[in-house]
Amino acid sequence: MLIHIVCWKYKPEITEEERTSHRVGLAALAFSIPNEGFEVGADVLHLERSFETGLVARFVDRDGLDTYTDHPEHKEVAALGKQIASQVVSVDFIIDD
């Protein structure tokens, strides 16, 4: 199983409505692209080190992640995320299930 984690820290001028719209767009990907699990949420701790939105997706293998990455709907939401974020971080790793 391949775990894909991405976190966004938004630019200060991005409104809460824009942040929510981004999260909704991310969450919708779960219904368009094959996956083994897909969660999107807003940070609840609001620490200095916190990012504001997180995504955790599970794919059977690297091919599944590549399908997700290359999907047109993902590319659209990813482009929006790059525009509204001051920083984006990610990590991808394999686990035994």
Side-chain angles (χ1 to χ4, degrees):
M1 187 74 51
L2 193 146
I3 308 298
H4 174 66
I5 301 173
V6 184
C7 299
W8 292 262
K9 188 173 285 203
Y10 298 112
K11 295 175 184 174
E13 65 271 18
I14 301 304
T15 67
E16 190 55 42
E17 291 78 20
E18 291 170 306
R19 296 162 197 240
T20 299
S21 178
H22 181 235
R23 291 180 192 116
V24 168
L26 290 168
L29 296 175
F31 303 102
S32 304
I33 306 168
N35 65 81
E36 299 299 311
F38 204 95
E39 303 293 333
V40 176
D43 176 63
V44 296
L45 297 182
H46 309 290
L47 302 174
E48 179 76 23
R49 67 176 187 199
S50 294
F51 280 63
E52 296 158 280
T53 295
L55 175 148
V56 179
R58 299 169 66 98
F59 301 97
V60 171
D61 54 21
R62 177 64 187 264
D63 288 341
L65 176 61
D66 290 345
T67 297
Y68 167 80
T69 300
D70 294 336
H71 195 282
E73 291 180 38
H74 171 263
K75 287 182 177 184
E76 184 177 329
V77 175
L80 171 62
K82 287 178 185 176
Q83 290 175 9
I84 65 176
S86 62
Q87 189 174 3
V88 180
V89 296
S90 68
V91 63
D92 299 276
F93 57 92
I94 295 173
I95 61 167
D96 297 325
D97 34 286

